[in-house]
mmCIF file of all heavy atoms in Angstrom:
data_model
loop_
_atom_site.group_PDB
_atom_site.id
_atom_site.type_symbol
_atom_site.label_atom_id
_atom_site.label_comp_id
_atom_site.label_asym_id
_atom_site.label_seq_id
_atom_site.Cartn_x
_atom_site.Cartn_y
_atom_site.Cartn_z
ATOM 1 N N ILE P 297 -34.898 23.386 9.752
ATOM 2 C CA ILE P 297 -34.161 22.153 9.524
ATOM 3 C C ILE P 297 -33.053 22.450 8.431
ATOM 4 O O ILE P 297 -33.406 22.618 7.253
ATOM 5 C CB ILE P 297 -35.034 20.978 9.156
ATOM 6 C CG1 ILE P 297 -36.060 20.737 10.200
ATOM 7 C CG2 ILE P 297 -34.180 19.691 8.930
ATOM 8 C CD1 ILE P 297 -35.553 20.459 11.608
ATOM 9 N N SER P 298 -31.863 22.473 8.829
ATOM 10 C CA SER P 298 -30.733 22.662 7.889
ATOM 11 C C SER P 298 -30.148 21.351 7.607
ATOM 12 O O SER P 298 -30.854 20.381 7.256
ATOM 13 C CB SER P 298 -29.748 23.724 8.407
ATOM 14 O OG SER P 298 -29.165 23.236 9.617
ATOM 15 N N SER P 299 -28.871 21.210 7.689
ATOM 16 C CA SER P 299 -28.147 19.974 7.439
ATOM 17 C C SER P 299 -26.701 20.114 7.877
ATOM 18 O O SER P 299 -26.187 21.288 7.844
ATOM 19 C CB SER P 299 -28.210 19.613 5.945
ATOM 20 O OG SER P 299 -27.397 18.530 5.608
ATOM 21 N N MET P 300 -26.032 19.002 8.226
ATOM 22 C CA MET P 300 -24.613 19.124 8.373
ATOM 23 C C MET P 300 -23.922 19.599 7.121
ATOM 24 O O MET P 300 -22.897 20.250 7.080
ATOM 25 C CB MET P 300 -23.985 17.799 8.891
ATOM 26 C CG MET P 300 -24.033 16.707 7.833
ATOM 27 S SD MET P 300 -23.287 15.209 8.596
ATOM 28 C CE MET P 300 -23.206 14.106 7.132
ATOM 29 N N TRP P 301 -24.590 19.375 5.936
ATOM 30 C CA TRP P 301 -24.086 19.885 4.646
ATOM 31 C C TRP P 301 -24.213 21.338 4.516
ATOM 32 O O TRP P 301 -23.753 21.936 3.549
ATOM 33 C CB TRP P 301 -24.764 19.170 3.493
ATOM 34 C CG TRP P 301 -24.563 17.669 3.422
ATOM 35 C CD1 TRP P 301 -25.461 16.719 3.243
ATOM 36 C CD2 TRP P 301 -23.261 16.985 3.543
ATOM 37 N NE1 TRP P 301 -24.933 15.509 3.294
ATOM 38 C CE2 TRP P 301 -23.575 15.582 3.463
ATOM 39 C CE3 TRP P 301 -21.937 17.366 3.832
ATOM 40 C CZ2 TRP P 301 -22.592 14.640 3.592
ATOM 41 C CZ3 TRP P 301 -20.966 16.378 3.936
ATOM 42 C CH2 TRP P 301 -21.318 15.062 3.801
ATOM 43 N N GLY P 302 -24.806 22.054 5.454
ATOM 44 C CA GLY P 302 -24.780 23.512 5.520
ATOM 45 C C GLY P 302 -23.499 23.986 6.294
ATOM 46 O O GLY P 302 -23.273 25.154 6.329
ATOM 47 N N HIS P 303 -22.716 23.011 6.879
ATOM 48 C CA HIS P 303 -21.509 23.383 7.609
ATOM 49 C C HIS P 303 -20.261 22.844 6.927
ATOM 50 O O HIS P 303 -19.185 23.522 6.972
ATOM 51 C CB HIS P 303 -21.567 22.740 9.040
ATOM 52 C CG HIS P 303 -22.596 23.404 9.889
ATOM 53 N ND1 HIS P 303 -22.368 24.373 10.765
ATOM 54 C CD2 HIS P 303 -23.943 23.169 10.005
ATOM 55 C CE1 HIS P 303 -23.436 24.787 11.404
ATOM 56 N NE2 HIS P 303 -24.440 23.994 10.959
ATOM 57 N N VAL P 304 -20.373 21.754 6.267
ATOM 58 C CA VAL P 304 -19.223 21.124 5.553
ATOM 59 C C VAL P 304 -19.678 20.607 4.196
ATOM 60 O O VAL P 304 -20.865 20.389 3.990
ATOM 61 C CB VAL P 304 -18.617 19.952 6.373
ATOM 62 C CG1 VAL P 304 -17.968 20.406 7.669
ATOM 63 C CG2 VAL P 304 -19.665 18.841 6.632
ATOM 64 N N ALA P 305 -18.713 20.472 3.303
ATOM 65 C CA ALA P 305 -19.073 19.993 1.943
ATOM 66 C C ALA P 305 -18.976 18.438 1.899
ATOM 67 O O ALA P 305 -18.123 17.841 2.627
ATOM 68 C CB ALA P 305 -18.190 20.570 0.912
ATOM 69 N N GLY P 306 -19.780 17.809 1.110
ATOM 70 C CA GLY P 306 -19.745 16.353 0.939
ATOM 71 C C GLY P 306 -19.350 15.996 -0.494
ATOM 72 O O GLY P 306 -19.808 16.673 -1.433
ATOM 73 N N GLY P 307 -18.583 15.019 -0.653
ATOM 74 C CA GLY P 307 -18.022 14.666 -1.942
ATOM 75 C C GLY P 307 -18.531 13.412 -2.522
ATOM 76 O O GLY P 307 -17.844 12.761 -3.371
ATOM 77 N N PHE P 308 -19.765 12.927 -2.135
ATOM 78 C CA PHE P 308 -20.223 11.625 -2.651
ATOM 79 C C PHE P 308 -20.882 11.760 -4.014
ATOM 80 O O PHE P 308 -20.841 10.852 -4.798
ATOM 81 C CB PHE P 308 -21.214 11.041 -1.624
ATOM 82 C CG PHE P 308 -20.672 10.903 -0.232
ATOM 83 C CD1 PHE P 308 -21.098 11.658 0.815
ATOM 84 C CD2 PHE P 308 -19.510 10.091 -0.048
ATOM 85 C CE1 PHE P 308 -20.503 11.564 2.008
ATOM 86 C CE2 PHE P 308 -18.990 9.925 1.173
ATOM 87 C CZ PHE P 308 -19.461 10.696 2.221
ATOM 88 N N SER P 309 -21.536 12.929 -4.252
ATOM 89 C CA SER P 309 -22.180 13.117 -5.565
ATOM 90 C C SER P 309 -22.496 14.563 -5.720
ATOM 91 O O SER P 309 -22.476 15.254 -4.672
ATOM 92 C CB SER P 309 -23.491 12.250 -5.708
ATOM 93 O OG SER P 309 -24.385 12.644 -4.705
ATOM 94 N N GLY P 310 -22.706 15.072 -6.953
ATOM 95 C CA GLY P 310 -23.078 16.418 -7.077
ATOM 96 C C GLY P 310 -24.381 16.807 -6.412
ATOM 97 O O GLY P 310 -25.405 16.202 -6.784
ATOM 98 N N ASN P 311 -24.290 17.745 -5.538
ATOM 99 C CA ASN P 311 -25.445 18.189 -4.798
ATOM 100 C C ASN P 311 -25.377 19.639 -4.360
ATOM 101 O O ASN P 311 -25.672 19.988 -3.262
ATOM 102 C CB ASN P 311 -25.695 17.355 -3.604
ATOM 103 C CG ASN P 311 -27.121 17.203 -3.161
ATOM 104 O OD1 ASN P 311 -28.057 17.771 -3.769
ATOM 105 N ND2 ASN P 311 -27.405 16.540 -2.009
ATOM 106 N N VAL P 312 -24.818 20.463 -5.275
ATOM 107 C CA VAL P 312 -24.394 21.800 -4.935
ATOM 108 C C VAL P 312 -25.600 22.676 -4.493
ATOM 109 O O VAL P 312 -25.435 23.493 -3.555
ATOM 110 C CB VAL P 312 -23.673 22.496 -6.122
ATOM 111 C CG1 VAL P 312 -24.569 22.703 -7.286
ATOM 112 C CG2 VAL P 312 -22.874 23.731 -5.619
ATOM 113 N N SER P 313 -26.756 22.480 -5.054
ATOM 114 C CA SER P 313 -27.884 23.315 -4.742
ATOM 115 C C SER P 313 -28.339 23.008 -3.345
ATOM 116 O O SER P 313 -28.794 23.928 -2.583
ATOM 117 C CB SER P 313 -28.982 23.117 -5.689
ATOM 118 O OG SER P 313 -29.448 21.759 -5.818
ATOM 119 N N TYR P 314 -28.228 21.768 -2.864
ATOM 120 C CA TYR P 314 -28.618 21.390 -1.519
ATOM 121 C C TYR P 314 -27.649 21.973 -0.552
ATOM 122 O O TYR P 314 -28.039 22.580 0.430
ATOM 123 C CB TYR P 314 -28.639 19.877 -1.410
ATOM 124 C CG TYR P 314 -29.259 19.362 -0.090
ATOM 125 C CD1 TYR P 314 -30.618 19.264 0.132
ATOM 126 C CD2 TYR P 314 -28.372 18.975 0.918
ATOM 127 C CE1 TYR P 314 -31.097 18.786 1.367
ATOM 128 C CE2 TYR P 314 -28.922 18.518 2.143
ATOM 129 C CZ TYR P 314 -30.245 18.407 2.320
ATOM 130 O OH TYR P 314 -30.803 18.017 3.516
ATOM 131 N N HIS P 315 -26.332 21.809 -0.796
ATOM 132 C CA HIS P 315 -25.316 22.416 0.056
ATOM 133 C C HIS P 315 -25.485 23.927 0.195
ATOM 134 O O HIS P 315 -25.469 24.412 1.296
ATOM 135 C CB HIS P 315 -23.931 22.143 -0.485
ATOM 136 C CG HIS P 315 -23.413 20.781 -0.268
ATOM 137 N ND1 HIS P 315 -23.849 19.665 -1.000
ATOM 138 C CD2 HIS P 315 -22.553 20.251 0.699
ATOM 139 C CE1 HIS P 315 -23.252 18.597 -0.538
ATOM 140 N NE2 HIS P 315 -22.426 18.948 0.478
ATOM 141 N N ALA P 316 -25.688 24.601 -0.907
ATOM 142 C CA ALA P 316 -25.817 26.041 -0.909
ATOM 143 C C ALA P 316 -27.002 26.497 -0.125
ATOM 144 O O ALA P 316 -26.953 27.477 0.635
ATOM 145 C CB ALA P 316 -25.876 26.574 -2.341
ATOM 146 N N THR P 317 -28.135 25.889 -0.301
ATOM 147 C CA THR P 317 -29.384 26.301 0.322
ATOM 148 C C THR P 317 -29.353 25.946 1.819
ATOM 149 O O THR P 317 -29.738 26.791 2.604
ATOM 150 C CB THR P 317 -30.633 25.631 -0.250
ATOM 151 O OG1 THR P 317 -30.434 24.204 -0.335
ATOM 152 C CG2 THR P 317 -30.870 26.177 -1.676
ATOM 153 N N LYS P 318 -28.771 24.867 2.172
ATOM 154 C CA LYS P 318 -28.692 24.519 3.612
ATOM 155 C C LYS P 318 -27.705 25.464 4.320
ATOM 156 O O LYS P 318 -27.908 25.801 5.520
ATOM 157 C CB LYS P 318 -28.326 23.036 3.879
ATOM 158 C CG LYS P 318 -29.488 22.112 3.355
ATOM 159 C CD LYS P 318 -30.777 22.318 4.076
ATOM 160 C CE LYS P 318 -31.844 21.355 3.745
ATOM 161 N NZ LYS P 318 -33.103 21.656 4.477
ATOM 162 N N GLY P 319 -26.632 25.787 3.736
ATOM 163 C CA GLY P 319 -25.687 26.756 4.279
ATOM 164 C C GLY P 319 -26.369 28.147 4.436
ATOM 165 O O GLY P 319 -26.201 28.797 5.442
ATOM 166 N N ALA P 320 -27.191 28.492 3.438
ATOM 167 C CA ALA P 320 -27.945 29.759 3.570
ATOM 168 C C ALA P 320 -28.974 29.695 4.685
ATOM 169 O O ALA P 320 -29.172 30.757 5.393
ATOM 170 C CB ALA P 320 -28.622 30.005 2.309
ATOM 171 N N VAL P 321 -29.565 28.555 4.983
ATOM 172 C CA VAL P 321 -30.554 28.429 6.036
ATOM 173 C C VAL P 321 -29.819 28.679 7.345
ATOM 174 O O VAL P 321 -30.345 29.297 8.329
ATOM 175 C CB VAL P 321 -31.266 27.062 6.014
ATOM 176 C CG1 VAL P 321 -31.935 26.809 7.322
ATOM 177 C CG2 VAL P 321 -32.173 27.022 4.835
ATOM 178 N N VAL P 322 -28.601 28.158 7.542
ATOM 179 C CA VAL P 322 -27.791 28.347 8.785
ATOM 180 C C VAL P 322 -27.616 29.898 9.007
ATOM 181 O O VAL P 322 -27.797 30.377 10.088
ATOM 182 C CB VAL P 322 -26.464 27.650 8.700
ATOM 183 C CG1 VAL P 322 -25.603 28.030 9.901
ATOM 184 C CG2 VAL P 322 -26.718 26.129 8.652
ATOM 185 N N MET P 323 -27.265 30.618 7.975
ATOM 186 C CA MET P 323 -27.070 32.102 8.112
ATOM 187 C C MET P 323 -28.346 32.831 8.258
ATOM 188 O O MET P 323 -28.434 33.788 8.989
ATOM 189 C CB MET P 323 -26.201 32.595 7.005
ATOM 190 C CG MET P 323 -25.801 34.030 7.167
ATOM 191 S SD MET P 323 -25.146 34.413 8.730
ATOM 192 C CE MET P 323 -23.529 33.547 8.630
ATOM 193 N N LEU P 324 -29.427 32.366 7.574
ATOM 194 C CA LEU P 324 -30.728 32.976 7.700
ATOM 195 C C LEU P 324 -31.187 32.863 9.139
ATOM 196 O O LEU P 324 -31.717 33.797 9.749
ATOM 197 C CB LEU P 324 -31.702 32.312 6.795
ATOM 198 C CG LEU P 324 -33.121 32.786 6.880
ATOM 199 C CD1 LEU P 324 -33.242 34.293 6.432
ATOM 200 C CD2 LEU P 324 -34.030 31.998 5.936
ATOM 201 N N THR P 325 -30.919 31.731 9.726
ATOM 202 C CA THR P 325 -31.292 31.524 11.156
ATOM 203 C C THR P 325 -30.580 32.499 12.042
ATOM 204 O O THR P 325 -31.283 33.107 12.927
ATOM 205 C CB THR P 325 -30.814 30.029 11.581
ATOM 206 O OG1 THR P 325 -31.633 29.119 10.847
ATOM 207 C CG2 THR P 325 -31.099 29.802 13.042
ATOM 208 N N LYS P 326 -29.315 32.738 11.854
ATOM 209 C CA LYS P 326 -28.562 33.672 12.663
ATOM 210 C C LYS P 326 -29.164 35.078 12.513
ATOM 211 O O LYS P 326 -29.327 35.842 13.460
ATOM 212 C CB LYS P 326 -27.096 33.660 12.356
ATOM 213 C CG LYS P 326 -26.383 32.334 12.738
ATOM 214 C CD LYS P 326 -24.973 32.365 12.267
ATOM 215 C CE LYS P 326 -24.272 31.052 12.552
ATOM 216 N NZ LYS P 326 -24.112 30.752 14.005
ATOM 217 N N ALA P 327 -29.326 35.533 11.248
ATOM 218 C CA ALA P 327 -29.859 36.799 10.963
ATOM 219 C C ALA P 327 -31.174 37.075 11.576
ATOM 220 O O ALA P 327 -31.461 38.163 12.157
ATOM 221 C CB ALA P 327 -29.919 37.095 9.454
ATOM 222 N N LEU P 328 -32.143 36.111 11.466
ATOM 223 C CA LEU P 328 -33.455 36.326 12.017
ATOM 224 C C LEU P 328 -33.414 36.250 13.585
ATOM 225 O O LEU P 328 -34.149 37.007 14.247
ATOM 226 C CB LEU P 328 -34.379 35.186 11.560
ATOM 227 C CG LEU P 328 -34.672 35.272 10.068
ATOM 228 C CD1 LEU P 328 -35.653 34.040 9.691
ATOM 229 C CD2 LEU P 328 -35.230 36.549 9.579
ATOM 230 N N ALA P 329 -32.516 35.491 14.173
ATOM 231 C CA ALA P 329 -32.406 35.430 15.588
ATOM 232 C C ALA P 329 -31.977 36.782 16.136
ATOM 233 O O ALA P 329 -32.476 37.253 17.155
ATOM 234 C CB ALA P 329 -31.324 34.387 15.985
ATOM 235 N N VAL P 330 -31.011 37.459 15.456
ATOM 236 C CA VAL P 330 -30.550 38.743 15.869
ATOM 237 C C VAL P 330 -31.610 39.802 15.648
ATOM 238 O O VAL P 330 -31.887 40.643 16.528
ATOM 239 C CB VAL P 330 -29.285 39.170 15.122
ATOM 240 C CG1 VAL P 330 -28.827 40.589 15.357
ATOM 241 C CG2 VAL P 330 -28.139 38.156 15.493
ATOM 242 N N GLU P 331 -32.304 39.769 14.577
ATOM 243 C CA GLU P 331 -33.398 40.728 14.245
ATOM 244 C C GLU P 331 -34.602 40.660 15.131
ATOM 245 O O GLU P 331 -35.059 41.691 15.617
ATOM 246 C CB GLU P 331 -33.778 40.530 12.778
ATOM 247 C CG GLU P 331 -34.860 41.616 12.368
ATOM 248 C CD GLU P 331 -35.267 41.466 10.891
ATOM 249 O OE1 GLU P 331 -34.617 40.658 10.139
ATOM 250 O OE2 GLU P 331 -36.203 42.162 10.508
ATOM 251 N N TRP P 332 -34.976 39.444 15.492
ATOM 252 C CA TRP P 332 -36.211 39.224 16.234
ATOM 253 C C TRP P 332 -36.026 38.912 17.736
ATOM 254 O O TRP P 332 -37.023 38.775 18.434
ATOM 255 C CB TRP P 332 -37.107 38.137 15.586
ATOM 256 C CG TRP P 332 -37.575 38.481 14.256
ATOM 257 C CD1 TRP P 332 -37.798 39.791 13.747
ATOM 258 C CD2 TRP P 332 -38.012 37.610 13.190
ATOM 259 N NE1 TRP P 332 -38.358 39.723 12.509
ATOM 260 C CE2 TRP P 332 -38.446 38.429 12.053
ATOM 261 C CE3 TRP P 332 -38.033 36.244 13.032
ATOM 262 C CZ2 TRP P 332 -38.974 37.837 10.912
ATOM 263 C CZ3 TRP P 332 -38.493 35.692 11.867
ATOM 264 C CH2 TRP P 332 -38.983 36.472 10.806
ATOM 265 N N GLY P 333 -34.801 38.786 18.129
ATOM 266 C CA GLY P 333 -34.527 38.353 19.494
ATOM 267 C C GLY P 333 -35.138 39.256 20.552
ATOM 268 O O GLY P 333 -35.796 38.879 21.538
ATOM 269 N N ARG P 334 -35.089 40.612 20.361
ATOM 270 C CA ARG P 334 -35.669 41.607 21.316
ATOM 271 C C ARG P 334 -37.128 41.635 21.286
ATOM 272 O O ARG P 334 -37.772 42.263 22.129
ATOM 273 C CB ARG P 334 -35.030 42.941 21.131
ATOM 274 C CG ARG P 334 -33.570 43.044 21.349
ATOM 275 C CD ARG P 334 -33.067 44.456 21.257
ATOM 276 N NE ARG P 334 -31.642 44.478 21.515
ATOM 277 C CZ ARG P 334 -31.077 44.515 22.771
ATOM 278 N NH1 ARG P 334 -31.907 44.519 23.832
ATOM 279 N NH2 ARG P 334 -29.768 44.535 22.906
ATOM 280 N N HIS P 335 -37.737 40.898 20.319
ATOM 281 C CA HIS P 335 -39.225 40.834 20.292
ATOM 282 C C HIS P 335 -39.669 39.490 20.794
ATOM 283 O O HIS P 335 -40.831 39.145 20.653
ATOM 284 C CB HIS P 335 -39.655 40.968 18.873
ATOM 285 C CG HIS P 335 -39.231 42.283 18.228
ATOM 286 N ND1 HIS P 335 -39.922 43.462 18.482
ATOM 287 C CD2 HIS P 335 -38.228 42.611 17.396
ATOM 288 C CE1 HIS P 335 -39.347 44.535 17.834
ATOM 289 N NE2 HIS P 335 -38.296 43.984 17.148
ATOM 290 N N GLY P 336 -38.851 38.756 21.488
ATOM 291 C CA GLY P 336 -39.253 37.463 22.134
ATOM 292 C C GLY P 336 -39.319 36.298 21.230
ATOM 293 O O GLY P 336 -39.813 35.201 21.690
ATOM 294 N N ILE P 337 -38.724 36.366 20.071
ATOM 295 C CA ILE P 337 -38.716 35.258 19.153
ATOM 296 C C ILE P 337 -37.357 34.624 19.057
ATOM 297 O O ILE P 337 -36.381 35.335 18.809
ATOM 298 C CB ILE P 337 -39.223 35.719 17.693
ATOM 299 C CG1 ILE P 337 -40.616 36.341 17.723
ATOM 300 C CG2 ILE P 337 -39.173 34.497 16.772
ATOM 301 C CD1 ILE P 337 -41.012 36.946 16.383
#
């Protein structure tokens, strides 16, 4: 579970750690998909 704030920034209040971690989850998802895809995951 990431967030749209992993794709775009929001300007309603300071929440930089949430944005940064959710953006990282989006890329972590891609990296794991590529690494484990041939293993059926």
Side-chain angles (χ1 to χ4, degrees):
I297 303 301
S298 61
S299 171
M300 67 181 187
W301 296 133
H303 292 264
V304 295
F308 304 112
S309 62
N311 205 4
V312 68
S313 56
Y314 188 82
H315 282 77
T317 52
K318 292 302 184 178
V321 166
V322 172
M323 186 50 67
L324 177 64
T325 296
K326 294 177 184 292
L328 295 180
V330 171
E331 181 177 352
W332 291 337
R334 293 188 181 276
H335 301 283
I337 301 174

